[in-house]
């Protein structure tokens, strides 16, 4: 996700955004140009194995931790930055298996999610008022990108980004065919990550 002030946040109006994401294994995310806040070591300690696996997945290209959160499914979602402060996303588990990894650079809906937003209202100061249920909007954006009438939300949580980063939600989706997808979307219906979650892209787990 971009930094706040980049015109892409919940109050930024996402239509026409041209930032893009390149995902190893199938998803897309955003170019960042300002240094990210670092998290305390204690905050990422429970995710140490996943973090090490994510760093190894990119051969150390993205190594500075922004944050890491429990995905509610026995794994971790890790946000990293590289030397140019580009934002990277990784999904890994405690055994060192990486299921999704990539650079964020594009709203995958290319502004089409604007049709999912409720009418914009403003407060007395003229500032846009955030929707009452931003998670539902993020879920709707993820389902719209999946484009499968049989797709269902399996679980969803805040993505852990805060401070200078634009926060969003991660959403796990399931299809009638039995496929599972991981999506990351914002309260203004932009989709920044979409990846099929299947066999690990790579694993440092012991064999046997």
């Amino acid at each position: 996700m971009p930094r706040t002030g980049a015109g892409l946040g919940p109050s930024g109006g996402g239509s026409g955004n041209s930032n893009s994401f390149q995902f190893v294994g199938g998803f897309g995310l955003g170019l960042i140009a300002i240094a990210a806040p670092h998290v305390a070591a204690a905050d990422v300690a429970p995710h140490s194995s996943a973090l090490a696996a994510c760093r190894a997945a990119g051969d150390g290209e993205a190594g500075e931790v922004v944050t890491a959160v429990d995905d509610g499914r026995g794994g971790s979602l890790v946000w990293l930055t590289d030397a140019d402060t580009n934002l990277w996303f990784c999904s890994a588990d405690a055994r060192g298996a990486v299921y999704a990894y990539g650079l964020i650079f594009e709203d995958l809906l290319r502004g089409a999610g604007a049709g999912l937003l409720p009418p914009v209202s403003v407060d007395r100061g003229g500032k846009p008022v955030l929707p009452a249920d931003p998670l539902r909007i993020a879920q709707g954006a993820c389902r719209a990108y999946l484009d499968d009438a049989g797709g269902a939300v399996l679980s969803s949580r805040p993505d852990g980004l805060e401070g200078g980063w634009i926060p969003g939600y991660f959403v796990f989706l399931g299809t009638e065919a039995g496929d599972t997808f991981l999506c990351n979307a914002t309260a203004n219906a932009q989709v920044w990550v979409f990846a099929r979650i299947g066999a690990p892209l790579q694993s440092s787990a012991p064999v046997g």
Side-chain angles (χ1 to χ4, degrees):
M1 240 111 302
R3 301 272 297 186
T4 53
L8 302 173
S11 62
S15 131
N17 167 36
S18 61
N19 287 346
S20 290
F21 165 94
Q22 185 103 8
F23 188 68
V24 178
F27 74 71
L29 310 182
L31 290 182
I32 312 302
I34 305 174
H38 299 302
V39 294
D43 294 335
V44 298
H47 309 282
S48 58
S49 296
L51 176 56
C54 289
R55 283 173 164 158
D59 294 324
E61 182 174 14
E64 293 295 327
V65 184
V66 176
T67 192
V69 295
D70 186 343
D71 70 3
R73 297 166 59 90
S76 302
L77 302 180
V78 180
W79 297 98
L80 304 158
T81 56
D82 59 26
D84 296 319
T85 328
N86 297 316
L87 186 64
W88 294 72
F89 173 86
C90 179
S91 169
D93 64 22
R95 287 175 54 82
V98 175
Y99 296 91
Y101 178 83
L103 170 66
I104 301 204
F105 73 102
E106 178 178 58
D107 169 21
L108 299 180
L109 286 175
R110 299 183 182 276
L116 302 171
L117 298 174
V120 177
S121 59
V122 297
D123 62 20
R124 292 184 179 180
K127 295 181 179 179
V129 177
L130 293 180
D133 193 352
L135 173 57
R136 185 177 296 273
I137 291 174
Q139 291 172 337
C142 288
R143 293 189 66 181
Y145 190 80
L146 176 63
D147 194 23
D148 182 340
V153 174
L154 302 177
S155 62
S156 51
R157 294 185 179 188
D159 64 13
L161 292 175
E162 57 185 9
W165 300 106
I166 296 174
Y169 300 88
F170 67 83
V171 180
F172 282 97
L173 301 166
T175 68
E176 291 180 342
D179 294 320
T180 300
F181 294 88
L182 171 59
C183 174
N184 181 264
T186 62
N188 66 345
Q190 292 185 343
V191 173
W192 293 92
V193 174
F194 200 89
R196 185 190 302 272
I197 302 299
L201 302 178
Q202 68 177 54
S203 177
S204 59
V207 176

